[in-house]
């Protein structure tokens, strides 16, 4: 018989740890609040278009699901094809469970953007209740509530709650499997054998880390049941436990064998091994150095509070397992080992994907349950000792037999305090993730949401001729093609990174993004083709109203612009809270500007200018027509609407001022007066630095200098002396005080023109946000 200090929790008739009604009700309330909050966070923007970044891989799952249904194939193919894909095109780096799940949703609900997120949203909403059920089964209701609340405040779980990839389903299904395992041991009921087997099987169909967790659980189970003396962990329902072990091991072996056979049939088994060889590269670096290089990502994803608590909890769980000899204390440690294998072994993947340590969130939640249960036990022991001292009779045993709800609720309340501090960093991280497509700082690289590009592609898709399979869309490398762009075209066959065509095609279209295209290549297209321009995006060919090439050459550019407005409350929540609503409308002012800059006949618009952008172009029209007085009047109107900068470079270019619109997608617009055509490698660049971390935040300030400015649609090499140009810069603010600087940068030579009268400086502050 175990001594009282090592005795397990007393249990009720259901085999669950006993608890007071007060504790149970309070724990359920906390869990309900955590679940509602997390479901709302996961469902934010669920009906909106899929944009660029890591989130674009959700669009790839939609493409795969559509291919499965269109061609009646079992394997994932993440590009649209004109004919049935062969097995050699199957994607064989991961199990296929998430693809089959999304295909089932699409079969029932049809092809919609929400299909790319809905499975993840539903599984995320189910995860807090699963954590409560597991924590309540292992420990007590207060511990279950702590597990649910801990999971839903972490920045990484909030940021990727609707990410229909691998981690969300693996965590949800394996937590279900662990719950079934715990309840099977407690009750020996067959239903929990089925629950455990189902959860672990679905987890293994989602991704490989579920095999690591299942393997660890099986190894621990074999040692616990067949190698250690029964007195260590106590009796087991031997027959049912053996059935669980054999069934789970068989499912794991058969699932692994299924995918190995499928991948071998597709001729991709070697590709899988090569992929994971690449993912594990970089292991020669000391782990401490690797973790230091990822410090900001880790703090941003978990906060220093959660990281410290997770380290403490690992010691506590190990001590509980050794001293209390309660086998289920091993479960948080098994999840910790699974997350560590994913994060430490596959270092190259973790260097690229900020969401790689997502599995630590499930460990942290289970560890929180252990900490709260430990704290409750200590408080109960203290209360019992005080009562014993008052009445001079031992009552510790009575306290354990009927634990009051007060100490457990006190432990839970104490734990909610650091969780509130974690949520302080979790809330801005959620918006930051949505704005950047889950990329966050992207190690300083330029981030564009592709919001406007996606709106252009959706506008273009119904205007394209033919069917999705017989009218392909070719894209220049400047489009920086993503799965989200392919999905936005509605199922069209897309050929990315194609050189400019020699002649117009009667089928499909050719698309370019002039911001990332050499000026000479733009000029060649404008000279040889009729072009339909929507903002910086050009389409050639039969689509989008573009005309075919005539014998005498192109007849001119026809331009459209984006008319943007802030979303209403319902659209902000359901469609997009980080992008404006966009409408594409004809723009005679932009038509004039593009034609004038590419040497085409250009008629000034008849209507007077109304917006600041139209006044800018009207100013240039006046200069081109030699109307100096009109140009000066318009320049005065424009300057009055700007926050002045008055920074002039030694090549004659002047930064006049800026406007800043704060909204769903905040926008800084820099107005430039050109000193003439810039050198061939000069561009207007905008970078930002975080100079102070956010108030009350525990996360370090982002140390990375980030590129935030997009190239201008009309290259500086084509600018005209005295003309005004506008550079719109979407602002995706990082936590803390962020300062934005503009400069004229020579990409090839490293340094560009200097600022006059500023001590040889090359950049000027254009915005500061706190």
């Amino acid at each position: 018989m175990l001594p009282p200090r090592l005795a397990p929790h007393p249990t009720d008739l259901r085999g669950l740890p006993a608890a007071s009604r007060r504790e149970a009700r309070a724990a359920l309330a906390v869990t309900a609040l955590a679940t509602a909050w997390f479901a709302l966070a996961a469902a934010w923007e669920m009906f909106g278009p899929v944009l660029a970044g890591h989130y674009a891989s959700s669009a790839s799952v939609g493409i795969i699901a559509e291919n499965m249904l269109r061609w009646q194939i079992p394997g994932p193919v993440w590009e649209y094809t004109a004919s049935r894909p062969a097995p050699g095109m199957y994607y064989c780096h991961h199990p296929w469970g998430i693809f089959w799940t999304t295909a089932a949703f699409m079969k029932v609900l049809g092809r919609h953007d929400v299909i790319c997120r809905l499975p993840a949203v539903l599984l995320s909403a189910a995860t807090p209740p699963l954590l409560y059920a597991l924590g309540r089964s292992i420990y007590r209701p207060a511990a279950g509530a702590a597990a649910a609340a801990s999971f839903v405040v972490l920045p990484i779980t909030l940021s990727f709650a609707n990410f229909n990839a691998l981690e969300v389903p693996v965590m949800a299904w394996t937590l279900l499997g662990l719950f079934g395992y715990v309840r099977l041991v407690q009750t020996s009921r067959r239903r929990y054998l089925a629950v455990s087997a189902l959860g672990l099987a679905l987890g293994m169909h989602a991704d490989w880390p579920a095999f690591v967790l299942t393997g660890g659980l099986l190894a621990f189970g074999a040692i616990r049941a067949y190698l250690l003396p029964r007195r260590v962990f106590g009796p087991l329902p031997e027959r049912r436990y053996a059935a669980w072990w054999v069934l789970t091991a068989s499912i794991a072996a058969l699932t692994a064998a299924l995918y190995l056979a499928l991948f071998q049939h597709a001729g991709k088994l070697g590709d899988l091994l090569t992929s994971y060889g690449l993912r594990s590269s970089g292991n020669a670096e000391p782990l401490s150095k690797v973790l230091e290089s990822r410090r900001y990502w880790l703090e941003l994803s978990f906060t220093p509070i959660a990281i410290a608590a997770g380290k403490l909890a690992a010691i506590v769980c190990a001590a509980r397992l050794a001293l209390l000899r309660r086998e289920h204390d091993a479960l948080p440690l098994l999840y910790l080992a699974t997350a560590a294998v994913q994060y430490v072994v596959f270092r190259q993947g973790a260097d690229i994907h900020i969401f790689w340590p997502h599995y630590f969130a499930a460990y942290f939640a289970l560890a929180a349950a252990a900490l709260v249960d430990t704290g409750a036990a200590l408080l109960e022991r203290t209360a019992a000792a005080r009562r014993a001292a008052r009445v001079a009779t031992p009552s510790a045993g009575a306290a354990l037999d009927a634990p009051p709800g007060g100490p457990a609720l006190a432990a839970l309340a104490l734990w909610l305090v650091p969780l509130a501090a974690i949520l302080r960093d979790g809330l801005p991280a959620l918006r930051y993730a949505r704005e950047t497509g889950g990329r966050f700082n992207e190690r300083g690289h330029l981030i564009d949401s592709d919001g406007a590009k996606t709106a252009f592609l959706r506008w273009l898709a119904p205007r394209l001729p033919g069917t999705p399979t017989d009218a392909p869309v070719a894209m220049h490398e400047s489009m920086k093609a993503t799965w989200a762009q392919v999905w936005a075209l509605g199922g069209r066959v897309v050929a990315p990174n194609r050189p400019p065509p020699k002649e117009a095609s009667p089928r499909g279209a050719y698309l370019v993004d002039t911001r990332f295209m050499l000026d000479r290549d733009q000029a060649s297209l404008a000279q040889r083709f009729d072009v339909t321009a929507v903002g910086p995006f050009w389409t050639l060919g039969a689509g989008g109203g573009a005309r075919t090439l005539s014998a005498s050459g192109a007849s001119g550019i026809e331009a459209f612009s984006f008319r943007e407005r802030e979303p209403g409350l319902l659209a902000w929540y359901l469609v997009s809270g980080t992008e404006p609503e966009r409408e594409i409308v004809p723009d005679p002012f932009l038509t004039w500007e593009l034609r004038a800059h590419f040497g085409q006949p250009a008629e000034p618009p008849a209507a007077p200018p109304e917006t600041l952008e139209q006044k800018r172009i009207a100013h240039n029209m006046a200069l081109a027509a030699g109307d100096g007085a009109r140009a000066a009047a318009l320049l005065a109107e424009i300057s009055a609407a700007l926050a002045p900068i008055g920074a002039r470079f030694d090549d004659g270019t002047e930064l006049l001022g800026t406007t800043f619109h704060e909204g769903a997608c905040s926008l800084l617009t820099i107005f430039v007066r050109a000193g003439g055509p810039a050198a061939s490698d000069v561009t207007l660049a905008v970078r930002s630095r975080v100079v102070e971390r956010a108030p009350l935040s525990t996360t370090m300030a982002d140390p990375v200098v980030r590129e935030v400015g997009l190239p201008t649609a009309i290259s500086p090499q084509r600018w005209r002396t005295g003309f005004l140009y506008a550079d719109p810069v979407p602002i995706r603010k990082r936590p803390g005080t962020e300062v934005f600087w503009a400069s004229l940068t020579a990409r090839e030579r490293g340094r560009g023109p200097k600022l006059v009268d500023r001590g040889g400086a090359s950049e000027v502050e254009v915005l500061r946000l706190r």
Side-chain angles (χ1 to χ4, degrees):
M1 180 175 178
L2 293 174
R5 68 183 183 87
L6 299 181
H9 282 297
T11 59
D12 61 19
L13 294 177
R14 298 167 294 168
L16 291 170
S20 69
R21 181 175 299 180
R22 179 186 175 196
E23 178 187 346
R25 287 178 175 176
L28 283 174
V30 171
T31 302
L33 182 62
T35 301
W37 154 244
F38 201 58
L40 288 171
W44 183 31
E45 301 184 319
M46 67 184 294
F47 292 97
V50 183
L51 302 180
H54 293 312
Y55 292 168
S57 65
S58 294
S60 77
V61 179
I63 294 169
I64 286 169
E66 189 171 10
N67 278 328
M68 286 179 168
L69 297 176
R70 177 185 290 179
W71 302 113
Q72 297 297 300
I73 56 176
V77 175
W78 59 18
E79 60 185 82
Y80 292 114
T81 58
S83 59
R84 180 185 174 90
M89 295 186 69
Y90 291 170
Y91 174 64
C92 297
H93 290 182
H94 298 278
W96 296 349
I98 63 168
F99 311 126
W100 291 334
T101 301
T102 307
F105 273 87
M106 187 178 292
K107 179 68 174 179
V108 175
L109 300 176
R111 186 191 195 275
H112 306 287
D113 290 320
V114 69
I115 295 299
C116 297
R117 303 185 178 97
L118 186 57
V121 170
L122 295 176
L123 288 172
S124 287
T127 300
L130 284 170
L131 284 165
Y132 167 77
L134 185 55
R136 197 262 182 267
S137 299
I138 299 174
Y139 304 110
R140 60 193 311 148
S150 299
F151 189 79
V152 304
V153 299
L154 290 174
I156 194 168
T157 58
L158 290 169
S159 300
F160 295 98
N162 71 348
F163 189 37
N164 189 22
L166 307 171
E167 290 77 11
V168 168
V170 167
M171 287 189 290
W173 292 129
T174 54
L175 289 171
L176 177 65
L178 292 181
F179 167 73
Y181 166 76
V182 171
R183 296 296 288 138
L184 173 70
V185 173
Q186 291 172 338
T187 68
S188 188
R189 292 179 180 173
R190 186 181 291 111
R191 75 181 72 161
Y192 294 117
L193 172 64
V195 168
S196 180
L198 176 65
L200 294 175
L202 291 174
M204 287 184 283
H205 277 286
D207 200 20
W208 307 122
F211 284 88
V212 178
L213 180 64
T214 303
L217 187 62
L218 288 170
F220 175 79
I223 294 171
R224 182 257 190 271
Y226 305 115
L227 296 181
L228 294 178
R230 294 301 166 86
R231 65 177 182 274
V232 175
F233 288 117
L236 265 179
E238 293 186 14
R239 182 176 178 184
R240 197 74 76 203
Y241 196 87
W244 169 84
W245 200 97
V246 171
L247 178 61
T248 303
S250 299
I251 290 173
L254 290 173
T255 304
L258 170 67
Y259 286 111
L260 290 175
L262 289 172
F263 295 173
Q264 178 63 30
H265 175 69
K268 291 295 188 71
L269 193 54
D271 186 44
L272 172 68
L273 298 177
T274 300
S275 168
Y276 280 93
L278 176 64
R279 290 291 190 211
S280 61
S281 62
N283 284 336
E285 289 285 346
L287 182 59
S288 58
K289 184 177 180 181
V290 171
L291 293 179
E292 181 60 31
S293 69
R294 301 175 190 162
R295 180 187 168 191
Y296 177 69
W297 274 12
L298 288 170
E299 289 196 9
L300 183 66
S301 297
F302 292 95
T303 77
I305 295 175
I307 294 171
K311 293 177 180 178
L312 172 64
I315 299 172
V316 170
C317 288
R320 287 177 62 103
L321 183 63
L323 298 177
L324 300 182
R325 289 182 257 170
R326 299 180 65 238
E327 63 188 282
H328 296 148
D329 280 314
L331 297 184
L333 298 175
L334 288 174
Y335 229 113
L336 174 62
T338 299
V341 168
Q342 164 81 354
Y343 192 65
V344 174
V345 174
F346 300 104
R347 293 189 183 182
Q348 189 267 354
D351 286 334
I352 298 173
H353 305 101
I354 191 173
F355 56 82
W356 213 252
H358 201 169
Y359 293 113
F360 285 105
Y363 157 70
F364 177 70
L366 296 177
L371 288 176
V372 168
D373 184 63
T374 303
L378 292 175
L379 291 174
E380 286 172 350
R381 189 179 299 275
T382 301
R386 288 176 179 174
R387 288 195 298 272
R390 286 197 301 269
V391 300
T393 55
S395 58
L400 287 173
D401 289 338
L409 293 180
L412 176 59
L414 288 173
W415 178 248
L416 293 179
V417 174
L419 293 190
I422 294 172
L423 185 60
R424 157 63 189 90
D425 285 325
L427 286 173
L430 171 58
R431 179 172 182 86
Y432 187 22
R434 295 296 174 88
E435 287 180 320
T436 62
R439 288 172 291 186
F440 295 93
N441 66 4
E442 194 72 349
R443 301 196 183 278
H445 298 301
L446 178 65
I447 295 174
D448 186 20
S449 70
D450 275 0
K453 189 179 295 183
T454 300
F456 157 66
L457 294 173
R458 289 176 178 271
W459 173 85
L460 177 66
R463 292 167 171 79
L464 292 171
T467 65
T469 57
D470 69 6
V473 175
M475 291 185 178
H476 185 263
E477 62 181 357
S478 61
M479 288 292 288
K480 301 182 182 295
T482 66
W483 290 307
Q485 293 180 34
V486 176
W487 172 261
L489 283 167
R492 293 270 167 177
V493 176
V494 175
N497 302 324
R498 292 294 188 267
K502 296 181 179 179
E503 59 182 6
S505 170
R507 300 185 304 122
Y510 185 77
L511 311 180
V512 305
D513 182 345
T514 56
R515 298 172 300 180
F516 300 99
M517 192 178 194
L518 294 175
D519 175 67
R520 62 175 180 267
D521 293 334
Q522 297 178 40
S524 174
L525 293 179
Q527 180 182 10
R528 297 185 297 116
F529 295 95
D530 286 331
V531 172
T532 298
V534 179
F537 313 113
W538 289 8
T539 176
L540 322 175
R547 298 162 300 283
T548 56
L549 182 65
S550 65
S552 59
S555 62
I557 299 171
E558 293 293 335
F560 295 76
S561 287
F562 296 99
R563 182 181 293 166
E564 298 180 349
R565 61 179 179 274
E566 290 298 312
L569 180 60
L570 195 61
W572 179 91
Y573 177 73
L574 292 176
V575 180
S576 180
T578 54
E579 292 287 334
E581 294 182 348
R582 293 181 173 92
E583 179 185 5
I584 295 175
V585 296
D587 189 340
F589 286 88
L590 182 58
T591 297
W592 179 91
E593 180 169 61
L594 291 175
R595 290 188 177 190
H597 278 80
F598 286 96
Q600 299 175 355
E603 291 292 330
E610 297 180 358
T611 66
L612 199 61
E613 176 68 4
Q614 290 175 349
K615 290 177 181 179
R616 176 188 70 79
I617 297 176
H619 165 273
N620 296 343
M621 292 179 190
L623 279 185
D627 189 347
R630 172 67 172 159
L634 286 167
L635 178 60
E637 285 187 50
I638 294 169
S639 298
L642 304 180
I645 297 178
R648 189 165 63 87
F649 292 90
D650 56 15
D651 69 344
T653 302
E654 181 181 2
L655 304 185
L656 291 178
T658 64
T659 63
F660 180 66
H661 169 75
E662 190 171 6
C665 180
S666 297
L667 186 69
L668 170 72
T669 305
I670 304 173
F671 283 76
V672 182
R673 180 158 59 182
S680 61
D681 61 345
V682 168
T683 185
L684 180 60
V686 182
R687 298 182 179 91
S688 75
R689 308 181 187 101
V690 177
V691 297
E692 185 180 1
R693 73 180 182 184
L696 302 180
S697 172
T698 60
T699 300
M700 65 183 291
D702 189 346
V704 170
V705 176
R706 193 177 75 180
E707 192 83 30
V708 297
L710 295 163
T712 53
I714 296 177
S715 169
Q717 287 74 58
R718 197 167 287 275
W719 286 357
R720 296 186 180 183
T721 304
F723 273 31
L724 299 182
Y725 298 92
D727 182 19
V729 182
I731 300 298
R732 299 173 178 91
K733 184 183 174 301
R734 293 180 277 181
T737 300
E738 189 170 15
V739 181
F740 298 81
W741 303 77
S743 64
L744 289 178
T745 301
R747 299 291 185 186
E748 296 177 4
R749 291 173 292 166
R751 303 189 68 180
K754 301 293 187 299
L755 288 160
V756 177
D757 299 329
R758 299 204 182 212
S762 60
E763 57 183 9
V764 59
E765 182 178 326
V766 292
L767 182 66
R768 181 179 290 255
L769 294 176
R770 290 179 173 83

